[in-house]
Amino acid sequence: MPQGAATQFKDVNEITPTGKVERTVYKGVEPKSQVYLKTFGPMEFNRTNRAEFNMLIKLVSIKLRESLREDKSGVYGVGVNGSPKKYPKQGYDIVVSFGCAPDNVELLIKAAIDEIEKIKANGCDEKDLQKIKETALRERESDLKENNFWLAAISQSYLNAEDIIEIENYANIVNGISSEKLKQLANKYLSMDNYARFVLMPEKK
């Protein structure tokens, strides 16, 4: 791109199917399955919403790791990834992913959804609340020492037309989070209205 050229985004009108989508693919011979559970929807893209959203992701990660890996010993690891986005349309998606034995797919999907429903109903206890706050603040303290963090912060602030000084408010947002707020966020961002379930299973013999 020539120096000084304006950057323009083009909406190619990619449409994500709404509602509930479930697909199971039978491929491969290894006796292992892969599960992807996704929720998505609109989200106002600003620093406060993104910080609170990331706190929710941390909580879901803790509870699913406890339930699926430690309590049920059904997975080696479980990933919970949340992605707020501004372009081409403001929104978010949350993906829960894990590998497991084919016979345990339904059991572990139910366990994951049950844990999410508990957060939607009850928020979290004080121990988990303090854990996610401490983790978020410790990660930010480390980030502030890294050039890559500042490079990304400056470029993203410019790209999103945000004031970089707002970064200073991060600790206040984190310390202000509560169990009730996390409950509200879970009901907002983990709604099953837009839900996709994808499962990879070994080929049937």
Side-chain angles (χ1 to χ4, degrees):
M1 179 180 292
Q3 186 174 2
T7 300
Q8 294 184 344
F9 294 92
K10 180 180 179 181
D11 186 354
V12 296
N13 294 317
E14 178 182 349
I15 299 175
T16 302
T18 56
K20 294 186 178 181
V21 178
E22 296 188 5
R23 297 287 187 274
T24 300
V25 176
Y26 295 89
K27 193 71 175 178
V29 296
E30 185 179 2
K32 181 180 178 181
S33 293
Q34 192 69 34
V35 176
Y36 293 88
L37 309 176
K38 177 178 178 179
T39 63
F40 53 95
M43 173 184 182
E44 185 178 352
F45 190 89
N46 60 52
R47 291 192 196 278
T48 297
N49 284 351
R50 298 199 302 273
E52 293 177 343
F53 179 83
N54 288 333
M55 297 281 281
L56 174 65
I57 297 301
K58 291 181 187 301
L59 175 60
V60 176
S61 296
I62 290 171
K63 303 315 292 181
L64 293 192
R65 184 173 63 250
E66 289 177 351
S67 176
L68 274 62
R69 189 178 72 182
E70 297 173 12
D71 293 347
K72 293 184 170 52
S73 301
V75 299
Y76 289 111
V78 54
V80 183
N81 298 293
S83 302
K85 59 182 180 179
K86 185 172 184 178
Y87 302 105
K89 296 180 179 70
Q90 297 186 66
Y92 74 94
D93 60 54
I94 297 173
V95 176
V96 174
S97 60
F98 56 86
C100 65
D103 290 345
N104 290 338
V105 165
E106 296 302 327
L107 171 70
L108 294 174
I109 289 177
K110 182 180 184 304
I113 293 175
D114 285 348
E115 286 300 322
I116 288 170
E117 291 301 320
K118 289 177 185 177
I119 297 173
K120 290 163 69 174
N122 305 312
C124 68
D125 61 25
E126 186 63 24
K127 181 188 72 173
D128 287 332
L129 182 61
Q130 291 305 312
K131 184 175 182 178
I132 61 176
K133 286 183 179 183
E134 290 170 3
T135 301
L137 293 175
R138 186 169 59 249
E139 289 175 349
R140 175 52 59 94
E141 182 179 1
S142 177
D143 287 342
L144 292 173
K145 300 174 184 177
E146 300 296 327
N147 287 338
N148 285 340
F149 169 81
W150 285 107
L151 179 61
I154 292 169
S155 61
Q156 291 298 313
S157 294
Y158 175 77
L159 182 65
N160 298 322
E162 295 177 333
D163 188 345
I164 195 170
I165 299 301
E166 292 175 347
I167 288 177
E168 294 184 350
N169 195 41
Y170 181 78
N172 291 332
I173 297 171
V174 171
N175 288 322
I177 207 78
S178 65
S179 173
E180 181 61 28
K181 182 62 177 181
L182 288 165
K183 174 182 173 180
Q184 294 171 8
L185 294 171
N187 280 279
K188 180 177 182 179
Y189 296 126
L190 291 166
S191 168
M192 302 301 282
D193 291 342
N194 292 318
Y195 166 71
R197 164 186 151 148
F198 301 103
V199 180
L200 175 64
M201 298 283 280
E203 292 180 29
K204 296 179 178 179
K205 296 181 180 180

